[in-house]
Amino acid sequence: MSVEKLTVELGERSYEIVIGEGLLDQAAALLVEAGIASTSKLMIVTDENVAVHYLEPLLGVLRQHGYQAHSAVIAAGEQSKSLTVYERLMTEAIDAGLDRKSAVLALGGGVVGDLAGFVAATYMRGIDFVQMPTTLLAHDSSVGGKVAINHPLGKNLIGAFHQPKVVIYDTKALHSLPKREVAAGFAEVVKHGLIADAAFVDWLEDNADRLWQLDSELLGKAIEKGCAVKAAIVSQDETEQGQRALLNLGHTFGHAFEALSAYSTLNHGEAISIGMCLAAKVAERIGFAETGVYNRTKRMLELFHLPTAWPGNLSPEAVLEAMKRDKKTVGGKLALVLPRAIGQVEVVKNIEEELILGVMREEVEG
């Protein structure tokens, strides 16, 4: 597959997203191209699952080209986005002698990227970092500079905006993913179509079977398109003052599901999938969306083997309370990203809580 490059236009903080097979073998050259000198000290943050496949080869490539590369391996899973693990990584960065010319490399999925990025954003008041996503889900989280850790009361409540120097996306890594993780990634791919590109949704529907089998050519196109949608929005609204909030379709519900299940029952993509269905149902209920948006959304997600039904034993009342801690909530008033049509979403404020509760209770009852 050919190498594709997209640019996130942010003035002096602009950077490239490089997508292609085998890019980890070219990591040193891509780092130099991004302005990270080969004399720099690096800390690679990865998880125990990814480390088995890619850590030693990457360390070898970087050291061969002069980089002083260290590594820090964390436990896989959302539980690692914690203050405890963050403190440990800061200690390892200090022990490794990282300075203001150093860089943190995030080798892994969304958890690794968020955590490593927050370490980079706060170490010595901010040093360079590089996103090296190894999951399909991370095509979303690796772009845009949102970095964070979780608090027991809510997801991503402790964080910053800190743009990477480059995103190096080696699609070869996706072939080692369990199918559940592949499905989770497609939740964000579908999301990008639902918020901004109806034609992309049609294309995903037409090619769902081949994409599910990880056809290299089609997968590269899907990732490129998803990244392009996000890059265009981030370029216009870096710190989520307006349009960038549209990227959170399904996330107010989904983050509540994740927090209430202690980040253990549902993965991020599964939670967001259910959340997008609920957002579509609320939108139809209040007359905001045209009829059929909910059914189309549900069908699209099920094509990629994602859950769309209410998650287990969670109570709607508890979910609503968790939603109120969402970052888009202002003055205690919920703001939801809702679809008006496939490929068109808006932020809607002041929706009656009883209406949202009613939709959730219907889901519980099946």
Side-chain angles (χ1 to χ4, degrees), residues 13 65 79 81 110 137 147 163 172 200 213 231-232 277 310 339:
R13 292 183 307 286
H65 287 80
Q79 293 90 334
K81 279 176 57 175
L137 188 67
V147 296
Q163 301 296 339
K172 186 177 180 181
F200 183 39
Q213 298 303 321
C277 287
W310 184 262

Side-chain angles (χ1 to χ4, degrees), residues 38-60:
S38 59
T39 53
S40 303
K41 287 184 178 179
L42 308 175
M43 184 168 81
I44 303 169
V45 178
T46 191
D47 70 37
E48 55 200 7
N49 294 340
V50 176
V52 171
H53 299 284
Y54 306 112
L55 179 57
E56 288 304 322
L58 179 59
L59 284 169

Side-chain angles (χ1 to χ4, degrees), residues 116-170:
F118 189 56
V119 169
T122 51
Y123 185 78
M124 293 188 173
R125 297 192 175 93
I127 63 173
D128 289 340
F129 94 110
V130 173
Q131 289 276 19
M132 307 177 93
T134 61
T135 69
L136 183 55
L137 188 67
H139 91 277
D140 178 72
S141 59
S142 65
V143 177
K146 276 188 174 182
V147 296
I149 55 177
N150 300 329
H151 187 278
L153 293 179
K155 181 167 177 169
N156 295 336
L157 292 180
I158 306 165
F161 289 95
H162 189 58
Q163 301 296 339
K165 294 290 285 184
V166 63
V167 179
I168 301 171
Y169 205 135
D170 188 342

Side-chain angles (χ1 to χ4, degrees), residues 250 270 327:
E270 292 164 346
K327 297 182 295 300

Side-chain angles (χ1 to χ4, degrees), residues 24-302:
L24 290 180
D25 296 335
Q26 304 171 40
L30 291 168
L31 292 185
V32 170
E33 192 176 311
I36 299 173
S38 59
T39 53
S40 303
K41 287 184 178 179
L42 308 175
M43 184 168 81
I44 303 169
V45 178
T46 191
D47 70 37
E48 55 200 7
N49 294 340
V50 176
V52 171
H53 299 284
Y54 306 112
L55 179 57
E56 288 304 322
L58 179 59
L59 284 169
V61 166
L62 296 173
R63 289 168 177 167
Q64 184 181 350
H65 287 80
Y67 286 105
Q68 300 176 59
H70 304 268
S71 63
V73 180
I74 64 171
E78 191 77 24
Q79 293 90 334
S80 285
K81 279 176 57 175
S82 67
L83 283 164
T84 302
V85 178
Y86 165 76
E87 182 180 16
R88 188 198 112 197
L89 291 181
M90 294 297 272
T91 301
E92 293 197 30
I94 296 167
D95 288 344
L98 268 62
D99 55 33
R100 286 183 168 170
K101 298 294 184 182
S102 298
V104 177
L105 276 53
L107 176 68
V111 168
V112 167
D114 283 1
L115 173 63
F118 189 56
V119 169
T122 51
Y123 185 78
M124 293 188 173
R125 297 192 175 93
I127 63 173
D128 289 340
F129 94 110
V130 173
Q131 289 276 19
M132 307 177 93
T134 61
T135 69
L136 183 55
L137 188 67
H139 91 277
D140 178 72
S141 59
S142 65
V143 177
K146 276 188 174 182
V147 296
I149 55 177
N150 300 329
H151 187 278
L153 293 179
K155 181 167 177 169
N156 295 336
L157 292 180
I158 306 165
F161 289 95
H162 189 58
Q163 301 296 339
K165 294 290 285 184
V166 63
V167 179
I168 301 171
Y169 205 135
D170 188 342
T171 56
K172 186 177 180 181
L174 304 183
H175 293 272
S176 60
L177 291 175
K179 280 298 190 181
R180 184 181 180 189
E181 293 301 318
V182 172
F186 276 117
E188 294 284 9
V189 175
V190 171
K191 181 201 78 175
H192 287 126
L194 292 175
I195 65 172
D197 194 335
F200 183 39
V201 175
D202 292 341
W203 182 86
L204 288 170
E205 189 168 30
D206 292 342
N207 293 284
D209 288 342
R210 287 176 63 190
L211 285 165
W212 182 246
Q213 298 303 321
L214 300 182
D215 177 288
S216 293
E217 181 182 354
L218 293 183
L219 190 59
K221 289 180 180 177
I223 292 168
E224 180 190 3
K225 187 61 179 176
C227 287
V229 168
K230 183 161 190 180
I233 292 175
V234 169
S235 295
Q236 296 175 51
D237 181 18
E238 181 180 1
T239 58
E240 202 169 299
Q241 302 304 306
Q243 188 181 14
R244 184 167 177 166
L246 301 180
L247 292 164
N248 291 318
L249 176 64
H251 283 58
T252 302
F253 289 105
H255 284 172
F257 296 151
E258 290 181 272
L260 290 173
S261 62
Y263 307 104
S264 59
T265 307
L266 296 169
N267 64 37
H268 180 68
E270 292 164 346
I272 298 316
S273 174
I274 300 166
M276 287 190 286
C277 287
L278 282 165
K281 183 166 276 193
V282 169
E284 286 193 9
R285 185 62 50 84
I286 64 174
F288 183 78
E290 56 189 40
T291 303
V293 168
Y294 168 74
N295 285 336
R296 181 83 190 280
T297 299
K298 185 173 184 287
R299 183 171 76 248
M300 279 298 304
L301 294 165
E302 289 174 349

Side-chain angles (χ1 to χ4, degrees), residues 5-17:
K5 292 187 178 182
L6 301 167
T7 301
V8 181
E9 299 285 358
L10 292 169
E12 62 182 18
R13 292 183 307 286
S14 296
Y15 56 93
E16 285 192 327
I17 306 165

